[in-house]
Amino acid sequence: MTVYVDEITDYGDVARRRGLRSTQWAHLTADTPEELHDFAARLGLKRAWFQNADNYRWHYDVTPPKRAAALRAGACEIDRRGLAALMAARRAAGSTAGVVTGSGTVTAVDVCTTDQGEPWAVAAVNGSLGTVACHVPAALYQQCAALLVVGAPVAFSGRMDDRPTPPVFVAVEITATASTPPAAPSAPASAEPAKASPDVVPLAAPIFGNANGWADVMQRAGDQCQCIGQCGSTHRKTGGRCDARHGGYGGKGCPPIRLEVAPEDPAVPEHAAARMTPDQLMAWCGKCRAGAVSKSKPAARGKKAPPPQPDALFGAELLG
């Protein structure tokens, strides 16, 4: 049995808006809840501070002094990625009670947008369970967007959410039932020739051009957001470049970070982006992309747009 504590994160304004007494927090967890409660009690943490909203991310939030005390008491130090992997393993090994599985053919897809500008969808699947309207959350949609094509055979699993009226079916996993994933929409004739689709494509949204483009950009970017200020932030604390990494810790109660691929200039329309080759695209985290889009809006109202960043964005010195 082991107790774990991750690194300190400064939540700044988020913590202040919630009225927390500190802006710096870490997460304390363990192999079992019982061991965690026993360890937390020895540190002087109240049982009421235990957090367990979804039955697998259970933990205590601790301040820097309590984190130091936890390490002195024998807790193992892990980074955010290690904590995310631990939580993901718990989720995979958790109970499947209430999970509904089925398969069928996608008959309709309605893509929506969250308040934060992230795409999600409602997919109608006709098959083993009749016609099911699967609500696909933003995090899942980023992974399976290329599978949600009308006529595509898919397998799905999820749970009924009884909170809305009427209840809705929320998908937790969607996979292709055919040996080859559905082909991505064809690029215009002037686009670069598309590469052959690999057996497994790491997906994110949006994907411009051929499916391999996402992997090419991610490899060049080192799986790290390439924003160096286009979003309006100087990223001073992280050396001038956003430190968000694909699959990294997304924050308390949030899914792992999913980077997307898009042009550096948010004003480039999708039909033009589809003609771009991977070397003309860059990796964005959702926060930086939203910031860049927001920053570009004054230009649409007649104000002078900020000058484009130099091509050094893609230099090897930034990808180390």
Side-chain angles (χ1 to χ4, degrees):
M1 298 294 182
T2 308
V3 177
Y4 310 91
V5 63
D6 71 348
E7 59 212 55
I8 290 291
T9 299
D10 192 334
Y11 292 94
D13 290 340
V14 174
R16 284 188 282 270
R17 284 196 300 268
R18 295 183 179 181
L20 300 179
R21 59 191 176 89
S22 173
T23 64
Q24 296 185 326
W25 297 87
H27 304 91
L28 182 74
T29 190
D31 288 334
T32 65
E34 294 75 18
E35 183 182 23
L36 177 59
H37 292 317
D38 180 66
F39 192 91
R42 297 203 304 270
L43 292 180
L45 303 179
K46 297 179 181 179
R47 180 66 174 266
W49 297 340
F50 177 64
Q51 300 187 44
N52 185 24
D54 47 26
N55 295 320
Y56 71 92
R57 281 186 289 212
W58 33 268
H59 68 280
Y60 285 86
D61 289 337
V62 293
T63 57
K66 288 295 184 183
R67 179 182 184 273
L71 293 174
R72 290 194 298 269
C76 295
E77 187 173 17
I78 58 175
D79 59 15
R80 293 187 210 174
R81 183 167 295 187
L83 181 67
L86 180 65
M87 301 299 185
R90 284 184 195 160
R91 183 176 185 178
S95 171
T96 59
V99 174
V100 177
T101 60
S103 61
T105 301
V106 178
T107 59
V109 180
D110 183 15
V111 179
C112 311
T113 305
T114 67
D115 293 340
Q116 291 74 38
E118 297 180 342
W120 64 281
V122 179
V125 181
N126 186 18
S128 60
L129 301 179
T131 299
V132 178
C134 297
H135 286 237
V136 185
L140 177 60
Y141 182 75
Q142 290 179 0
Q143 301 173 35
C144 67
L147 304 180
L148 297 179
V149 179
V150 174
V154 297
F156 61 90
S157 62
R159 292 182 172 87
M160 290 301 299
D161 187 347
D162 296 326
R163 291 174 295 178
T165 303
V168 300
F169 181 83
V170 180
V172 296
E173 183 178 26
I174 295 178
T175 57
T177 57
S179 58
T180 304
S186 299
S190 59
E192 291 290 325
K195 301 176 183 177
S197 296
D199 292 334
V200 179
V201 180
L203 300 174
I207 299 175
F208 296 108
N210 66 77
N212 283 334
W214 188 90
D216 293 342
V217 175
M218 286 299 108
Q219 182 178 11
R220 187 182 67 242
D223 288 337
Q224 181 179 346
C225 177
Q226 292 180 294
C227 177
I228 56 171
Q230 298 93 323
C231 66
S233 170
T234 61
H235 301 300
R236 179 174 55 83
K237 293 183 179 180
T238 55
R241 177 182 175 184
C242 175
D243 64 344
R245 292 187 173 276
H246 189 66
Y249 179 64
K252 181 178 178 181
C254 298
I257 294 171
R258 290 289 181 264
L259 298 186
E260 60 185 58
V261 168
E264 178 183 352
D265 183 359
V268 174
E270 290 194 13
H271 71 272
R275 291 193 287 269
M276 290 183 171
T277 55
D279 61 309
Q280 296 175 304
L281 303 171
M282 63 179 282
W284 292 90
C285 69
K287 183 177 180 181
C288 287
R289 179 65 176 164
V293 170
S294 176
K295 189 178 177 184
S296 71
K297 287 181 179 179
R301 297 195 293 267
K303 296 183 180 180
K304 185 177 179 181
Q309 297 295 321
D311 290 340
L313 171 66
F314 301 105
E317 68 275 14
L318 296 177
L319 305 178

